C-alpha cells in the first residue's frame, strides 16, 4: 500500500479547491491520506462514490469512538453525528419533529426583518464596514438564539466556546475539553429552565417531542444537551461562514448577481443552491465512516475496520456530475448536491439554513444593490469552516 498523502489539502487563504483534489478525482478509486491526528483513511472525492458512501449502512459513524479516528482536532466530535441506528434514529427523532421545514418557512418573515435590520445598522455608520461583523455573524446568531431560546446577552459567551470547539489547530486538547464542558453546563442549565418554564421556542419543542417517545427509547438529558449544542453550533457557524463566503464570491466573480436578485427576488433561491454546490466550505473532510465489512468503493476494496472520509466540497465540483463545475451558473441543475450531506446524517437544519441564506442575500440585494468590496478580506485561520474573518465593503 502506498504512503498516505498528507491531508488536509486546502489552505486557509481563499475558497479555492486545492489541485490535489483534482488529482484525486483522476485517480481510480479513493486515495489514502494521513490527517494531523489518528490513523490513515481512504479519501473519497467523486460525487457518485461520495453519495454512495454517505448512504451505505455498511459504514459506521459510531465506530469512531472505539478507534483512533482520523481527524484535524485533538478530540473527535460527540453527539448525534457520532451515532448509528438505532441510537441515531432515537436521538434524531426529537429534532425531526421540532426542526421542520414548515417551522423554518414560518420563520422567513422574522429572518427577513433580522437581516434587513442588520444591513441598516451597518449602513447607519460611514463606509467602509465589515460585513462579517455587521451582517454575516449577527443574522444567524440572532435567528438560532431566538429559535432555541438562548438569551441574547449570552451570545458572546457561546461564541467564544464555539471558536475553541471548531478550531482545527489553534486550541489544545485541554482548551477543547474545557470549552465543551462549559457548553454542556450552559445548555444543560437552559434546558432545565425550559423544562420548568416552557416557552415558544425550539428547546421546548424538543423537550415535548422527546416526551412523546416511549420511556425506553427517549433521549436522556445528556443526549438532549448534546443535540441542542449541535443545533446551536451548526445553526449559526456554518450559515455565518457561508453568508460571508457567498457575498465575497458574488462580488468578486458575479457582480451582476445582487442587482439581479434585487430585480427578481425569486432568483435568490437558485443562487443559494448553486453557491452551496460551488463553495467548498469545510477546510477538510471530517466525520469518518468505518466499514463494518469489506466494501467496494470506486473499484477499490475498503476492508472491514478501515475509515473513509468524504470530501463534499470536491464531490460537488465533480465534472462527471456537474458539467463545467468551476463555473458559477444559477441556471444549472443543482439537484443532488451534497452541501447538507446525504443519508441519515443529512443536516437537520438544512431548511432553516436555506431560508437564512436566501433572506441574507435578499436583504443585501434590496437595500444595497451597489454593494462592492472596499479592500481585501482577512481569512479565518486554524478553523474547520473556511471563510473571511473580515470582509470590508462599501455601498
Amino acid at each position: 500500500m502506498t504512503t498516505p498523502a498528507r491531508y488536509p489539502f486546502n489552505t486557509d487563504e481563499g475558497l479555492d479547491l486545492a489541485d490535489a483534489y483534482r488529482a484525486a478525482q483522476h485517480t481510480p478509486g479513493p486515495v489514502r491520506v494521513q490527517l494531523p491526528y489518528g490513523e490513515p483513511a481512504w479519501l473519497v472525492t467523486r460525487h457518485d462514490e461520495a453519495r454512495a458512501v454517505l448512504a451505505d449502512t455498511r459504514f459506521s459513524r459510531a465506530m469512531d469512538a472505539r478507534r483512533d479516528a482520523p481527524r484535524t482536532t485533538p478530540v473527535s466530535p460527540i453527539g448525534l453525528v457520532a451515532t448509528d441506528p438505532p441510537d441515531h434514529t432515537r436521538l434524531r427523532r426529537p429534532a425531526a419533529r421540532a426542526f421542520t421545514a414548515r417551522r423554518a418557512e414560518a420563520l422567513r418573515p422574522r429572518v427577513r426583518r433580522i437581516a434587513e435590520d442588520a444591513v441598516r445598522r451597518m449602513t447607519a455608520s460611514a463606509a467602509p464596514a465589515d460585513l462579517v461583523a455587521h451582517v454575516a455573524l449577527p443574522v444567524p446568531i440572532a435567528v438560532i438564539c431566538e429559535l432555541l431560546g438562548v438569551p441574547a446577552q449570552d451570545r458572546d459567551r457561546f461564541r467564544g466556546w464555539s471558536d475553541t470547539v471548531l478550531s482545527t489547530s489553534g486550541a489544545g486538547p485541554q482548551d477543547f475539553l474545557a470549552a465543551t464542558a462549559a457548553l454542556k453546563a450552559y445548555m444543560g442549565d437552559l434546558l432545565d429552565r425550559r423544562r420548568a418554564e416552557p416557552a415558544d421556542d425550539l428547546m421546548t419543542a424538543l423537550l415535548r417531542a422527546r416526551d412523546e417517545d416511549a420511556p425506553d427509547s427517549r433521549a436522556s438529558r445528556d443526549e438532549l444537551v448534546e443535540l441542542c449544542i449541535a443545533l446551536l453550533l451548526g445553526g449559526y457557524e456554518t450559515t455565518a461562514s457561508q453568508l460571508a463566503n457567498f457575498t465575497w464570491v458574488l462580488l468578486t466573480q458575479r457582480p451582476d448577481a445582487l442587482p439581479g436578485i434585487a430585480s427578481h427576488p425569486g432568483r435568490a433561491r437558485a443562487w443559494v443552491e448553486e453557491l452551496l454546490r460551488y463553495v467548498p466550505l469545510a477546510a477538510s473532510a471530517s466525520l469518518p465512516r468505518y466499514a463494518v465489512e469489506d466494501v467496494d468503493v470506486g473499484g477499490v476494496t475498503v476492508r472491514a475496520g478501515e475509515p473513509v472520509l468524504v470530501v463534499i466540497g470536491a464531490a460537488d465540483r465533480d465534472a462527471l456530475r456537474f458539467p463545467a463545475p468551476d463555473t458559477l451558473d444559477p441556471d444549472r441543475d443543482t439537484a443532488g448536491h451534497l452541501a447538507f450531506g446525504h443519508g441519515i446524517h443529512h443536516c437537520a437544519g438544512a431548511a432553516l439554513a436555506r431560508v437564512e441564506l436566501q433572506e441574507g442575500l435578499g436583504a443585501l440585494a434590496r437595500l444595497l444593490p451597489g454593494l462592492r468590496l472596499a479592500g481585501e478580506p482577512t481569512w479565518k485561520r486554524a478553523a474547520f469552516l473556511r471563510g473571511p474573518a473580515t470582509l470590508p465593503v462599501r455601498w
Side-chain angles (χ1 to χ4, degrees), residues 150-157 186 193:
V150 174
Q153 63 268 24
D154 291 345
R155 293 171 192 174
D156 288 342
R157 296 174 63 197
Y186 173 82
R193 279 187 275 162

Side-chain angles (χ1 to χ4, degrees), residues 22-326:
R22 294 298 185 213
Q25 287 178 334
H26 289 92
T27 301
V31 298
R32 296 283 286 174
V33 294
Q34 177 64 61
L35 277 70
Y37 301 92
E39 60 189 311
W42 292 103
L43 193 72
V44 170
T45 59
R46 284 180 286 270
H47 186 273
D48 286 353
E49 293 163 16
R51 190 176 176 90
V53 169
L54 294 174
D56 196 329
T57 57
R58 294 174 296 175
F59 287 98
S60 165
R61 277 290 301 125
M63 197 182 294
D64 188 309
R66 305 192 297 274
R67 301 289 292 264
D68 186 15
R71 61 198 185 277
T72 56
T73 56
V75 181
S76 293
I78 59 173
L80 189 63
V81 297
T83 58
D84 298 330
D87 281 343
H88 180 273
T89 308
R90 175 178 60 83
L91 295 175
R92 189 178 172 106
R93 192 180 297 123
R97 290 177 180 169
F99 215 146
T100 63
R102 179 177 296 180
R103 178 185 284 267
E105 195 57 39
L107 284 169
R108 186 181 292 275
R110 178 58 182 153
V111 174
R112 181 172 299 173
R113 288 194 295 273
I114 289 172
E116 290 179 343
D117 288 347
V119 173
R120 290 191 178 102
R121 282 193 297 271
M122 181 177 74
T123 58
S125 56
D130 177 15
L131 186 123
V132 173
H134 288 281
V135 179
L137 272 174
V139 170
I141 286 178
V143 172
I144 197 63
C145 282
E146 286 193 14
L147 185 63
L148 271 173
V150 174
Q153 63 268 24
D154 291 345
R155 293 171 192 174
D156 288 342
R157 296 174 63 197
F158 75 72
R159 171 69 182 164
W161 297 327
S162 169
D163 284 346
T164 301
V165 170
L166 295 176
S167 171
T168 57
S169 62
Q174 294 306 314
D175 295 326
F176 183 94
L177 293 172
T180 301
L183 267 172
K184 285 184 176 180
Y186 173 82
M187 198 59 71
D189 178 65
L190 193 56
L191 199 66
D192 291 342
R193 279 187 275 162
R194 283 295 174 272
R195 171 68 74 185
E197 300 175 4
D200 183 20
D201 56 36
L202 182 59
M203 195 171 288
T204 301
L206 286 170
L207 285 166
R208 288 173 177 159
R210 172 212 181 253
D211 291 345
E212 291 172 2
D213 288 335
D216 61 349
S217 64
R218 286 176 184 165
S220 68
R221 177 184 179 277
D222 287 347
E223 289 170 335
L224 210 56
V225 165
E226 291 181 355
L227 176 59
C228 288
I229 291 173
L231 293 174
L232 179 65
L233 299 186
Y236 87 87
E237 189 70 34
T238 54
T239 308
S241 296
Q242 286 293 54
L243 187 52
N245 289 342
F246 290 4
T247 304
W248 184 75
V249 168
L250 292 181
L251 293 181
T252 55
Q253 298 186 34
R254 289 296 300 270
D256 60 311
L258 288 179
I261 293 172
S263 301
H264 300 90
R267 293 289 285 165
R269 294 174 185 259
W271 269 115
V272 164
E273 293 307 309
E274 171 64 347
L275 287 161
L276 284 167
R277 179 203 69 81
Y278 178 84
V279 174
L281 173 61
S284 71
S286 63
L287 307 180
R289 271 83 175 160
Y290 279 86
V292 297
E293 61 183 74
D294 290 358
V295 183
D296 181 278
V297 179
V300 170
T301 299
V302 176
R303 301 296 181 187
E306 291 184 332
V308 174
L309 289 163
V310 174
V311 190
I312 287 173
D316 279 344
R317 299 272 285 271
D318 180 359
L320 295 177
R321 172 60 185 86
F322 301 104
D326 300 326

Side-chain angles (χ1 to χ4, degrees), residues 366-379:
R366 286 189 304 276
L367 301 178
L368 300 175
L371 188 69
R372 59 196 185 278
L373 293 178
E376 291 298 317
T378 61
W379 297 93

